Structure formats: structure tokens, C-alpha cells
Coordinates of all heavy atoms in Angstrom, one line a residue:
M264 N 5.2 13.9 -0.5 CA 6.0 12.7 -0.6 C 6.8 12.7 -1.9 O 7.9 12.2 -2.0 CB 5.1 11.5 -0.5 CG 5.9 10.2 -0.4 SD 6.8 10.3 1.2 CE 7.5 8.7 1.1
G265 N 6.2 13.3 -3.0 CA 6.9 13.3 -4.3 C 8.2 13.9 -4.3 O 9.2 13.5 -4.9
L266 N 8.3 15.1 -3.6 CA 9.6 15.8 -3.5 C 10.7 14.9 -2.8 O 11.8 14.8 -3.3 CB 9.5 17.1 -2.8 CG 8.6 18.2 -3.5 CD1 8.4 19.4 -2.5 CD2 9.3 18.6 -4.8
I267 N 10.3 14.3 -1.7 CA 11.2 13.4 -1.0 C 11.7 12.2 -1.9 O 12.8 11.9 -1.9 CB 10.6 13.0 0.3 CG1 10.4 14.2 1.3 CG2 11.5 11.9 1.0 CD1 9.6 13.9 2.5
Q268 N 10.7 11.6 -2.5 CA 11.0 10.5 -3.3 C 11.9 10.8 -4.5 O 12.9 10.1 -4.7 CB 9.7 9.9 -3.9 CG 8.9 9.0 -3.0 CD 7.8 8.3 -3.6 OE1 6.7 8.9 -3.6 NE2 8.0 7.2 -4.3
R269 N 11.7 11.9 -5.1 CA 12.5 12.3 -6.2 C 14.0 12.6 -5.7 O 14.9 12.3 -6.4 CB 12.0 13.5 -7.0 CG 10.8 13.1 -7.9 CD 10.4 14.2 -8.9 NE 10.0 15.5 -8.2 CZ 8.8 15.7 -7.8 NH1 7.9 14.8 -7.8 NH2 8.5 16.9 -7.2
A270 N 14.1 13.3 -4.6 CA 15.4 13.5 -4.0 C 16.2 12.2 -3.7 O 17.4 12.1 -4.0 CB 15.3 14.4 -2.7
I271 N 15.5 11.3 -3.2 CA 16.1 9.9 -2.9 C 16.5 9.3 -4.2 O 17.6 8.7 -4.3 CB 15.1 9.1 -2.0 CG1 14.9 9.7 -0.6 CG2 15.6 7.6 -1.9 CD1 13.8 9.1 0.2
E272 N 15.6 9.3 -5.2 CA 15.9 8.7 -6.4 C 17.1 9.3 -7.2 O 17.8 8.6 -7.9 CB 14.6 8.7 -7.3 CG 13.5 7.8 -6.7 CD 12.9 6.9 -7.7 OE1 13.1 7.0 -8.9 OE2 12.1 6.0 -7.2
Q273 N 17.3 10.6 -7.0 CA 18.4 11.3 -7.6 C 19.7 10.7 -7.1 O 20.8 10.8 -7.7 CB 18.3 12.8 -7.4 CG 17.3 13.5 -8.2 CD 17.2 15.0 -7.9 OE1 17.7 15.5 -6.9 NE2 16.5 15.7 -8.8
R274 N 19.7 10.1 -5.9 CA 20.9 9.5 -5.3 C 21.0 8.0 -5.7 O 21.8 7.3 -5.1 CB 20.8 9.7 -3.8 CG 21.1 11.1 -3.4 CD 21.1 11.2 -1.9 NE 21.6 12.4 -1.3 CZ 21.4 13.7 -1.6 NH1 20.6 14.0 -2.5 NH2 21.9 14.7 -0.9
G275 N 20.1 7.6 -6.6 CA 20.2 6.2 -7.1 C 19.4 5.2 -6.3 O 19.6 4.0 -6.6
I276 N 18.6 5.6 -5.4 CA 17.8 4.7 -4.6 C 16.3 4.7 -5.1 O 15.7 5.7 -5.0 CB 17.8 5.0 -3.1 CG1 19.3 5.0 -2.6 CG2 17.0 4.0 -2.3 CD1 19.4 5.6 -1.3
P277 N 15.8 3.6 -5.7 CA 14.4 3.6 -6.2 C 13.4 3.6 -5.0 O 13.7 3.1 -3.9 CB 14.3 2.2 -6.9 CG 15.4 1.4 -6.4 CD 16.5 2.3 -5.9
T278 N 12.3 4.2 -5.3 CA 11.3 4.4 -4.2 C 9.9 4.0 -4.7 O 9.7 4.1 -5.9 CB 11.2 5.8 -3.7 OG1 10.8 6.7 -4.8 CG2 12.5 6.3 -3.2
V279 N 9.0 3.7 -3.8 CA 7.6 3.5 -4.1 C 6.8 3.9 -2.9 O 7.3 3.7 -1.8 CB 7.3 2.0 -4.5 CG1 7.6 1.1 -3.4 CG2 5.9 1.9 -5.0
S280 N 5.7 4.6 -3.1 CA 4.9 5.0 -2.0 C 3.6 4.2 -2.0 O 3.2 3.7 -3.0 CB 4.6 6.5 -2.0 OG 3.8 6.8 -3.2
V281 N 3.0 4.2 -0.8 CA 1.7 3.6 -0.7 C 0.7 4.7 -0.4 O 0.9 5.5 0.5 CB 1.6 2.5 0.5 CG1 0.3 1.9 0.7 CG2 2.7 1.5 0.3
T282 N -0.3 4.8 -1.3 CA -1.2 5.9 -1.2 C -2.7 5.5 -1.1 O -3.1 4.5 -1.7 CB -1.0 6.9 -2.4 OG1 -1.9 8.0 -2.3 CG2 -1.4 6.2 -3.7
V283 N -3.5 6.3 -0.5 CA -4.9 6.2 -0.5 C -5.6 7.3 -1.3 O -6.8 7.4 -1.4 CB -5.5 6.1 1.0 CG1 -5.1 4.9 1.7 CG2 -5.2 7.4 1.8
A284 N -4.7 8.2 -1.8 CA -5.2 9.4 -2.6 C -4.4 9.4 -3.9 O -3.4 10.2 -4.0 CB -5.0 10.6 -1.8
P285 N -4.7 8.7 -4.9 CA -4.0 8.6 -6.1 C -3.9 10.0 -6.9 O -2.9 10.3 -7.5 CB -4.6 7.5 -7.0 CG -6.0 7.5 -6.4 CD -5.9 7.8 -5.0
D286 N -5.0 10.8 -6.7 CA -5.0 12.1 -7.4 C -3.9 13.0 -6.8 O -3.2 13.7 -7.5 CB -6.4 12.7 -7.3 CG -6.9 12.8 -5.8 OD1 -6.5 12.0 -5.0 OD2 -7.7 13.7 -5.5
V287 N -3.7 12.9 -5.5 CA -2.7 13.7 -4.9 C -1.3 13.2 -5.3 O -0.4 14.0 -5.6 CB -2.8 13.7 -3.3 CG1 -1.6 14.4 -2.6 CG2 -4.1 14.3 -2.9
S288 N -1.1 11.9 -5.3 CA 0.1 11.3 -5.7 C 0.5 11.7 -7.1 O 1.6 12.0 -7.4 CB 0.1 9.8 -5.5 OG 0.0 9.4 -4.2
A289 N -0.5 11.7 -8.0 CA -0.3 12.0 -9.4 C 0.1 13.5 -9.5 O 1.0 13.9 -10.2 CB -1.5 11.7 -10.2
A290 N -0.6 14.4 -8.7 CA -0.3 15.8 -8.7 C 1.1 16.2 -8.3 O 1.7 17.1 -8.8 CB -1.3 16.5 -7.9
V291 N 1.6 15.4 -7.3 CA 3.0 15.7 -6.8 C 4.0 14.9 -7.6 O 5.2 15.0 -7.3 CB 3.1 15.5 -5.3 CG1 2.2 16.4 -4.5 CG2 2.9 14.1 -4.9
K292 N 3.6 14.1 -8.5 CA 4.4 13.4 -9.4 C 5.4 12.4 -8.7 O 6.6 12.5 -8.9 CB 5.2 14.4 -10.3 CG 4.3 15.2 -11.2 CD 5.1 16.2 -12.0 CE 4.2 16.9 -13.0 NZ 3.8 18.2 -12.7
V293 N 4.8 11.5 -7.9 CA 5.6 10.5 -7.3 C 6.2 9.6 -8.4 O 5.5 9.4 -9.4 CB 4.9 9.7 -6.3 CG1 4.4 10.5 -5.1 CG2 3.7 8.9 -6.9
P294 N 7.4 9.1 -8.2 CA 8.0 8.2 -9.2 C 7.1 6.9 -9.4 O 6.9 6.5 -10.5 CB 9.4 7.8 -8.7 CG 9.7 9.0 -7.8 CD 8.4 9.4 -7.2
R295 N 6.7 6.3 -8.3 CA 5.9 5.1 -8.3 C 5.0 5.1 -7.1 O 5.5 5.5 -6.0 CB 6.8 3.9 -8.2 CG 7.5 3.5 -9.5 CD 8.6 2.5 -9.2 NE 9.8 2.8 -9.8 CZ 10.7 3.8 -9.4 NH1 10.6 4.3 -8.3 NH2 11.8 4.1 -10.2
A296 N 3.8 4.5 -7.2 CA 3.0 4.4 -6.1 C 2.0 3.2 -6.2 O 1.6 2.8 -7.3 CB 2.2 5.6 -5.9
I297 N 1.7 2.6 -5.1 CA 0.6 1.6 -5.0 C -0.6 2.3 -4.4 O -0.5 2.9 -3.3 CB 1.1 0.4 -4.1 CG1 2.1 -0.4 -4.8 CG2 -0.1 -0.5 -3.7 CD1 1.6 -1.3 -6.0
F298 N -1.7 2.2 -5.1 CA -2.9 2.8 -4.6 C -3.7 1.7 -3.9 O -4.1 0.7 -4.5 CB -3.7 3.4 -5.7 CG -5.2 3.7 -5.3 CD1 -5.5 4.5 -4.2 CD2 -6.2 3.3 -6.1 CE1 -6.8 4.8 -3.9 CE2 -7.5 3.5 -5.8 CZ -7.8 4.3 -4.7
V299 N -4.0 1.9 -2.6 CA -4.9 1.0 -1.8 C -6.2 1.8 -1.6 O -6.2 2.9 -1.1 CB -4.3 0.6 -0.5 CG1 -3.1 -0.3 -0.7 CG2 -3.8 1.8 0.4
P300 N -7.3 1.2 -2.1 CA -8.6 1.9 -2.0 C -9.3 1.8 -0.7 O -10.4 1.2 -0.5 CB -9.4 1.2 -3.1 CG -8.9 -0.2 -3.1 CD -7.4 -0.1 -2.8
W301 N -8.6 2.2 0.3 CA -9.0 2.1 1.7 C -9.1 3.5 2.4 O -8.6 4.5 1.8 CB -8.1 1.2 2.5 CG -7.8 -0.1 1.8 CD1 -8.7 -0.8 0.9 CD2 -6.7 -1.0 2.0 NE1 -8.1 -2.0 0.5 CE2 -6.9 -2.1 1.2 CE3 -5.6 -0.9 2.7 CZ2 -6.0 -3.2 1.1 CZ3 -4.6 -2.0 2.7 CH2 -4.9 -3.1 1.9
P302 N -9.7 3.6 3.5 CA -9.9 4.9 4.2 C -8.5 5.5 4.5 O -7.5 4.8 4.7 CB -10.6 4.5 5.5 CG -11.3 3.2 5.2 CD -10.4 2.5 4.3
M303 N -8.5 6.8 4.6 CA -7.3 7.6 5.0 C -6.8 7.0 6.3 O -7.5 6.8 7.2 CB -7.7 9.1 5.1 CG -6.5 10.0 5.4 SD -5.4 10.1 3.9 CE -6.5 11.0 2.8
G304 N -5.5 6.9 6.4 CA -4.9 6.4 7.6 C -4.7 4.9 7.7 O -4.1 4.3 8.6
H305 N -5.3 4.2 6.7 CA -5.2 2.7 6.7 C -4.4 2.2 5.5 O -4.8 1.3 4.8 CB -6.6 2.1 6.7 CG -7.4 2.4 7.9 ND1 -7.3 1.6 9.0 CD2 -8.3 3.3 8.2 CE1 -8.1 2.0 10.0 NE2 -8.7 3.1 9.5
H306 N -3.3 2.8 5.3 CA -2.4 2.4 4.1 C -2.0 1.0 4.1 O -1.8 0.4 3.0 CB -1.2 3.3 4.1 CG -1.5 4.8 3.8 ND1 -2.2 5.5 4.7 CD2 -1.2 5.6 2.8 CE1 -2.4 6.8 4.2 NE2 -1.7 6.8 3.0
F307 N -2.0 0.3 5.2 CA -1.6 -1.1 5.3 C -2.7 -1.9 5.9 O -2.4 -3.0 6.4 CB -0.3 -1.2 6.1 CG 0.9 -0.6 5.4 CD1 1.3 0.7 5.5 CD2 1.6 -1.4 4.5 CE1 2.3 1.2 4.8 CE2 2.7 -0.9 3.8 CZ 3.0 0.5 4.0
G308 N -3.9 -1.5 5.9 CA -5.0 -2.2 6.4 C -5.3 -1.9 7.8 O -5.0 -0.8 8.3
V309 N -5.8 -2.9 8.5 CA -6.2 -2.7 9.9 C -5.0 -3.1 10.8 O -4.1 -3.9 10.4 CB -7.4 -3.6 10.4 CG1 -8.6 -3.1 9.6 CG2 -7.2 -5.0 10.2
P310 N -4.8 -2.5 12.0 CA -3.7 -2.8 12.9 C -3.6 -4.3 13.1 O -4.6 -5.0 13.3 CB -4.0 -2.1 14.2 CG -4.9 -1.0 13.7 CD -5.7 -1.6 12.6
F311 N -2.4 -4.8 13.2 CA -2.0 -6.2 13.5 C -2.4 -7.2 12.5 O -2.2 -8.4 12.7 CB -2.5 -6.6 14.9 CG -2.2 -5.6 16.0 CD1 -3.2 -4.8 16.6 CD2 -0.9 -5.5 16.4 CE1 -2.8 -3.9 17.5 CE2 -0.5 -4.6 17.4 CZ -1.5 -3.8 17.9
H312 N -2.9 -6.8 11.3 CA -3.3 -7.8 10.3 C -2.0 -8.0 9.4 O -1.9 -7.4 8.3 CB -4.5 -7.3 9.5 CG -5.0 -8.3 8.5 ND1 -4.4 -9.4 8.1 CD2 -6.2 -8.3 7.9 CE1 -5.1 -10.1 7.2 NE2 -6.3 -9.4 7.1
T313 N -1.1 -8.8 9.9 CA 0.2 -8.9 9.3 C 0.2 -9.5 7.9 O 1.0 -9.1 7.1 CB 1.2 -9.7 10.2 OG1 0.6 -11.0 10.4 CG2 1.4 -9.0 11.5
Q314 N -0.8 -10.4 7.7 CA -0.9 -11.0 6.3 C -1.2 -9.9 5.3 O -0.6 -9.9 4.2 CB -1.9 -12.1 6.3 CG -1.5 -13.2 7.1 CD -2.7 -14.2 7.3 OE1 -3.8 -13.9 7.0 NE2 -2.4 -15.4 7.9
M315 N -2.1 -9.0 5.6 CA -2.5 -7.9 4.7 C -1.3 -6.9 4.5 O -1.1 -6.5 3.4 CB -3.8 -7.2 5.2 CG -4.3 -6.2 4.2 SD -4.7 -6.8 2.5 CE -6.0 -7.9 3.0
Q316 N -0.7 -6.6 5.6 CA 0.4 -5.7 5.5 C 1.5 -6.2 4.6 O 2.1 -5.5 3.8 CB 0.9 -5.4 7.0 CG -0.1 -4.7 7.8 CD 0.2 -4.8 9.3 OE1 1.2 -5.4 9.7 NE2 -0.7 -4.2 10.1
R317 N 1.8 -7.5 4.7 CA 2.7 -8.2 3.9 C 2.3 -8.1 2.4 O 3.2 -7.9 1.6 CB 2.9 -9.6 4.3 CG 3.9 -10.4 3.5 CD 4.0 -11.9 4.1 NE 4.8 -12.7 3.2 CZ 6.1 -12.8 3.2 NH1 6.8 -12.1 4.1 NH2 6.7 -13.6 2.4
R318 N 1.1 -8.3 2.1 CA 0.6 -8.2 0.7 C 0.8 -6.8 0.2 O 1.2 -6.7 -1.0 CB -0.9 -8.6 0.7 CG -1.1 -10.1 0.9 CD -2.6 -10.4 1.2 NE -3.4 -10.3 0.0 CZ -4.7 -10.5 0.1 NH1 -5.3 -11.0 1.2 NH2 -5.5 -10.3 -1.0
V319 N 0.6 -5.8 1.0 CA 0.8 -4.4 0.5 C 2.3 -4.2 0.2 O 2.7 -3.7 -0.8 CB 0.3 -3.4 1.5 CG1 0.7 -2.0 1.1 CG2 -1.2 -3.5 1.6
I320 N 3.1 -4.6 1.1 CA 4.6 -4.5 1.0 C 5.1 -5.2 -0.3 O 5.9 -4.7 -1.1 CB 5.4 -4.9 2.2 CG1 5.0 -3.8 3.3 CG2 6.9 -5.0 2.0 CD1 5.5 -4.2 4.7
L321 N 4.7 -6.5 -0.4 CA 5.1 -7.3 -1.6 C 4.6 -6.6 -2.9 O 5.4 -6.7 -3.9 CB 4.6 -8.7 -1.4 CG 5.3 -9.5 -0.3 CD1 4.7 -10.9 -0.2 CD2 6.8 -9.6 -0.6
A322 N 3.4 -6.1 -2.9 CA 2.9 -5.4 -4.1 C 3.8 -4.2 -4.4 O 4.1 -3.9 -5.6 CB 1.5 -5.0 -3.9
A323 N 4.2 -3.4 -3.4 CA 5.0 -2.3 -3.6 C 6.4 -2.7 -4.1 O 6.9 -2.0 -5.0 CB 5.2 -1.5 -2.3
L324 N 7.0 -3.7 -3.6 CA 8.3 -4.2 -4.0 C 8.2 -4.7 -5.5 O 9.1 -4.5 -6.3 CB 8.8 -5.3 -3.1 CG 9.2 -4.8 -1.7 CD1 9.6 -6.0 -0.8 CD2 10.3 -3.8 -1.8
A325 N 7.1 -5.4 -5.8 CA 6.9 -5.9 -7.2 C 6.8 -4.7 -8.1 O 7.3 -4.7 -9.3 CB 5.6 -6.7 -7.3
L326 N 6.2 -3.6 -7.7 CA 6.1 -2.4 -8.6 C 7.4 -1.8 -8.8 O 7.7 -1.3 -9.9 CB 5.1 -1.4 -7.9 CG 4.9 -0.1 -8.8 CD1 4.3 -0.4 -10.1 CD2 4.0 0.9 -8.0
L327 N 8.3 -1.9 -7.8 CA 9.7 -1.4 -8.0 C 10.4 -2.1 -9.2 O 11.1 -1.5 -10.0 CB 10.5 -1.6 -6.8 CG 10.4 -0.6 -5.7 CD1 11.2 -1.0 -4.5 CD2 10.9 0.8 -6.2
Q328 N 10.1 -3.4 -9.3 CA 10.7 -4.2 -10.4 C 10.0 -4.0 -11.8 O 10.6 -4.0 -12.8 CB 10.7 -5.6 -10.0 CG 11.6 -6.0 -8.9 CD 11.6 -7.4 -8.6 OE1 10.6 -8.1 -8.7 NE2 12.8 -7.9 -8.1
S329 N 8.7 -3.8 -11.7 CA 7.9 -3.8 -13.0 C 7.6 -2.5 -13.6 O 7.4 -2.4 -14.8 CB 6.5 -4.5 -12.7 OG 5.7 -3.7 -11.9
A330 N 7.7 -1.4 -12.8 CA 7.4 -0.1 -13.4 C 8.5 0.4 -14.4 O 9.6 0.3 -14.0 CB 7.2 1.0 -12.3
T331 N 8.0 0.8 -15.5 CA 9.0 1.2 -16.6 C 9.0 2.7 -16.8 O 10.0 3.2 -17.4 CB 8.7 0.5 -17.9 OG1 7.4 0.7 -18.3 CG2 8.9 -1.0 -17.7
V332 N 8.0 3.4 -16.3 CA 7.9 4.8 -16.5 C 7.7 5.5 -15.2 O 7.0 5.0 -14.3 CB 6.8 5.2 -17.6 CG1 7.2 4.7 -18.9 CG2 5.5 4.8 -17.1
S333 N 8.2 6.7 -15.1 CA 8.0 7.5 -13.9 C 6.6 7.9 -13.8 O 5.9 8.2 -14.8 CB 8.9 8.7 -13.9 OG 8.8 9.5 -12.7
G334 N 6.0 8.0 -12.6 CA 4.6 8.4 -12.4 C 3.6 7.2 -12.4 O 2.4 7.4 -12.3
T335 N 4.2 6.0 -12.4 CA 3.3 4.8 -12.4 C 2.5 4.7 -11.1 O 3.1 4.8 -10.0 CB 4.1 3.5 -12.6 OG1 4.7 3.6 -13.9 CG2 3.2 2.3 -12.6
I336 N 1.2 4.6 -11.2 CA 0.4 4.4 -10.0 C -0.4 3.2 -10.3 O -1.3 3.2 -11.2 CB -0.5 5.6 -9.6 CG1 0.3 6.8 -9.4 CG2 -1.4 5.3 -8.4 CD1 -0.5 8.1 -9.2
E337 N -0.2 2.1 -9.5 CA -0.9 0.8 -9.7 C -1.9 0.6 -8.5 O -1.5 0.8 -7.4 CB 0.2 -0.3 -9.7 CG -0.4 -1.6 -10.2 CD 0.8 -2.6 -10.4 OE1 1.5 -2.5 -11.4 OE2 0.9 -3.5 -9.5
K338 N -3.1 0.2 -8.9 CA -4.1 -0.1 -7.9 C -4.0 -1.5 -7.3 O -3.8 -2.5 -8.1 CB -5.5 0.1 -8.5 CG -6.6 -0.1 -7.5 CD -8.0 0.1 -8.1 CE -9.1 -0.1 -7.0 NZ -10.4 0.2 -7.6
L339 N -4.0 -1.6 -6.0 CA -4.0 -2.9 -5.4 C -5.5 -3.3 -5.2 O -6.2 -2.6 -4.5 CB -3.4 -2.9 -4.0 CG -3.2 -4.2 -3.2 CD1 -2.4 -5.2 -4.0 CD2 -2.6 -3.9 -1.8
A340 N -5.9 -4.3 -6.0 CA -7.4 -4.5 -6.1 C -7.9 -5.4 -4.9 O -8.4 -6.5 -5.1 CB -7.6 -5.2 -7.4
I341 N -7.8 -4.9 -3.7 CA -8.4 -5.5 -2.6 C -9.3 -4.5 -1.9 O -8.9 -3.5 -1.4 CB -7.3 -5.9 -1.5 CG1 -6.2 -6.8 -2.2 CG2 -7.9 -6.6 -0.3 CD1 -5.0 -7.1 -1.3
P342 N -10.6 -4.8 -2.0 CA -11.6 -3.8 -1.4 C -11.5 -3.8 0.1 O -11.1 -4.8 0.8 CB -12.9 -4.4 -1.9 CG -12.7 -5.7 -2.5 CD -11.3 -5.9 -2.7
W343 N -11.8 -2.6 0.7 CA -11.8 -2.4 2.1 C -12.7 -3.5 2.8 O -12.3 -4.0 3.9 CB -12.2 -1.0 2.4 CG -12.2 -0.7 3.9 CD1 -13.3 -0.4 4.7 CD2 -11.1 -0.7 4.8 NE1 -12.9 -0.2 6.0 CE2 -11.5 -0.4 6.1 CE3 -9.7 -1.0 4.6 CZ2 -10.7 -0.3 7.2 CZ3 -8.9 -0.9 5.7 CH2 -9.4 -0.6 7.0
L344 N -13.8 -3.8 2.3 CA -14.7 -4.8 2.9 C -14.0 -6.1 3.1 O -14.1 -6.8 4.1 CB -16.0 -5.0 2.0 CG -17.0 -6.0 2.6 CD1 -17.5 -5.5 3.9 CD2 -18.1 -6.1 1.6
Q345 N -13.2 -6.5 2.1 CA -12.4 -7.8 2.2 C -11.4 -7.7 3.4 O -11.2 -8.6 4.1 CB -11.7 -8.1 0.9 CG -10.9 -9.4 1.0 CD -10.2 -9.7 -0.3 OE1 -10.6 -9.2 -1.4 NE2 -9.2 -10.5 -0.3
V346 N -10.7 -6.5 3.5 CA -9.7 -6.3 4.5 C -10.4 -6.5 5.9 O -9.9 -7.2 6.8 CB -9.1 -4.9 4.4 CG1 -8.1 -4.7 5.6 CG2 -8.3 -4.8 3.1
R347 N -11.5 -5.8 6.1 CA -12.2 -5.9 7.3 C -12.8 -7.3 7.6 O -12.7 -7.8 8.7 CB -13.4 -4.9 7.3 CG -13.0 -3.5 7.2 CD -12.4 -2.9 8.4 NE -13.3 -3.1 9.5 CZ -13.1 -2.7 10.8 NH1 -12.0 -2.1 11.0 NH2 -14.0 -2.8 11.7
R348 N -13.3 -8.0 6.6 CA -13.8 -9.3 6.7 C -12.7 -10.3 7.2 O -12.9 -11.1 8.1 CB -14.4 -9.8 5.4 CG -15.2 -11.1 5.5 CD -15.8 -11.5 4.2 NE -16.7 -10.5 3.7 CZ -16.6 -10.0 2.4 NH1 -15.7 -10.5 1.6 NH2 -17.4 -9.1 2.0
E349 N -11.5 -10.2 6.5 CA -10.4 -11.1 6.9 C -9.9 -10.8 8.3 O -9.7 -11.7 9.1 CB -9.2 -10.8 5.9 CG -9.4 -11.4 4.6 CD -8.3 -11.1 3.6 OE1 -7.2 -10.8 4.1 OE2 -8.4 -11.3 2.4
A350 N -9.9 -9.5 8.7 CA -9.5 -9.2 10.1 C -10.5 -9.7 11.1 O -10.1 -10.3 12.1 CB -9.4 -7.7 10.2
K351 N -11.8 -9.6 10.8 CA -12.8 -10.2 11.7 C -12.7 -11.7 11.8 O -12.8 -12.2 12.9 CB -14.2 -9.8 11.2 CG -15.3 -10.2 12.1 CD -16.6 -9.7 11.7 CE -17.7 -10.2 12.6 NZ -19.0 -10.0 12.2
L352 N -12.5 -12.3 10.7 CA -12.4 -13.8 10.7 C -11.2 -14.2 11.6 O -11.3 -15.2 12.4 CB -12.2 -14.3 9.3 CG -12.1 -15.8 9.1 CD1 -13.3 -16.6 9.6 CD2 -11.8 -16.2 7.7
L353 N -10.0 -13.6 11.4 CA -8.9 -13.9 12.2 C -9.1 -13.7 13.7 O -8.7 -14.5 14.5 CB -7.7 -13.1 11.7 CG -7.1 -13.5 10.4 CD1 -6.0 -12.5 10.0 CD2 -6.5 -14.9 10.4
S354 N -9.8 -12.6 14.0 CA -10.1 -12.3 15.4 C -11.0 -13.3 16.0 O -10.9 -13.7 17.1 CB -10.8 -10.9 15.4 OG -11.1 -10.6 16.8
E355 N -12.0 -13.8 15.2 CA -13.0 -14.8 15.7 C -12.3 -16.1 15.9 O -12.7 -16.9 16.8 CB -14.1 -14.9 14.7 CG -15.1 -13.7 14.8 CD -16.1 -13.8 13.7 OE1 -16.1 -14.7 12.8 OE2 -17.0 -12.9 13.7
Q356 N -11.3 -16.4 15.1 CA -10.5 -17.6 15.3 C -9.6 -17.6 16.5 O -8.9 -18.5 16.8 CB -9.7 -17.9 14.0 CG -10.6 -18.3 12.8 CD -9.7 -18.4 11.6 OE1 -8.5 -18.1 11.6 NE2 -10.4 -18.8 10.5
G357 N -9.6 -16.4 17.2 CA -8.7 -16.3 18.4 C -7.3 -16.0 18.1 O -6.4 -16.0 19.0
K358 N -7.0 -15.6 16.8 CA -5.7 -15.3 16.5 C -5.5 -13.8 16.7 O -6.3 -13.0 16.3 CB -5.4 -15.6 15.0 CG -5.4 -17.1 14.7 CD -5.2 -17.4 13.3 CE -5.3 -18.9 13.0 NZ -5.1 -19.2 11.6
R359 N -4.3 -13.5 17.2 CA -4.0 -12.0 17.3 C -3.7 -11.5 15.9 O -2.9 -12.1 15.2 CB -2.8 -11.8 18.2 CG -2.5 -10.4 18.3 CD -1.6 -10.0 19.4 NE -1.4 -8.6 19.3 CZ -0.4 -7.9 19.8 NH1 0.6 -8.6 20.3 NH2 -0.3 -6.7 19.7
L360 N -4.3 -10.5 15.5 CA -4.1 -9.9 14.2 C -2.7 -9.3 14.2 O -2.0 -9.2 13.4 CB -5.1 -8.8 13.9 CG -6.5 -9.3 13.8 CD1 -7.5 -8.1 13.5 CD2 -6.7 -10.3 12.7

């Protein structure tokens, strides 16, 4: 992803990635990334949990504004257990995630 991000940024478009592997993101030197400490493949939480997906996107957009140096990787401090708990609660309330 780092190569693609850098090519896009060279054209004047800022980028941010969402990663579950900050070591890999650091190794490929992404310009900016949000690290979500969740399982591989769950970059935006569980399917249909739109509130959590929105939180991830807003955090990524905030990083676009706040990052001052290339290579910034910021952790989104929401544990996976909380993501699953919120999804289960919404499901029990009869709301479609």
C-alpha cells in the first residue's frame, strides 16, 4: 500500500491507510495510517456495524489533518472486545448492524 499511497501523494492528494499490521505499514513507509488492533480482515470492525465504521473513517480523516510528519501511524484505541460487544448489543436490540 505504501507505494500506491506515495504515488498518489506525489500528485498532491493526501492519503491515509487503515491497518491491522502497523509493523508492515511502517516497513513499507506509508505516509499516514490508522492502526486498528483488530483481527486481519476486520479493518472497519464487524459487517454492518455502521457506527464503528464511521468512527474508523472519521479517525482516518482526522489524521489527515493532524499528522505533521510522513510515516505517522496512530492507534485507534478501541479494543476488539468492545467492537464485538457493541455489535452484539445492537443485534440483540433488533437493529440491523
Side-chain angles (χ1 to χ4, degrees):
M264 190 64 177
L266 292 174
I267 295 169
Q268 279 185 269
R269 284 194 300 278
I271 293 170
E272 294 228 351
Q273 286 176 349
R274 289 181 163 50
I276 302 169
T278 65
V279 62
S280 65
V281 179
T282 184
V283 294
D286 53 335
V287 174
S288 294
V291 298
K292 299 180 171 104
V293 297
R295 282 165 227 84
I297 289 289
F298 165 54
V299 290
W301 307 337
M303 187 69 69
H305 292 277
H306 292 64
F307 291 89
V309 297
F311 307 111
H312 190 341
T313 57
Q314 294 169 349
M315 184 60 64
Q316 293 161 2
R317 180 179 171 84
R318 287 166 70 179
V319 173
I320 291 170
L321 290 176
L324 292 173
L326 182 60
L327 277 175
Q328 293 181 327
S329 67
T331 57
V332 295
S333 183
T335 299
I336 299 175
E337 189 173 287
K338 181 178 181 180
L339 184 61
I341 303 173
W343 180 243
L344 181 62
Q345 179 181 341
V346 175
R347 298 287 301 182
R348 190 178 304 129
E349 288 179 14
K351 183 178 180 190
L352 180 63
L353 288 171
S354 180
E355 288 172 352
Q356 292 174 352
K358 297 180 181 176
R359 180 171 179 203
L360 298 176

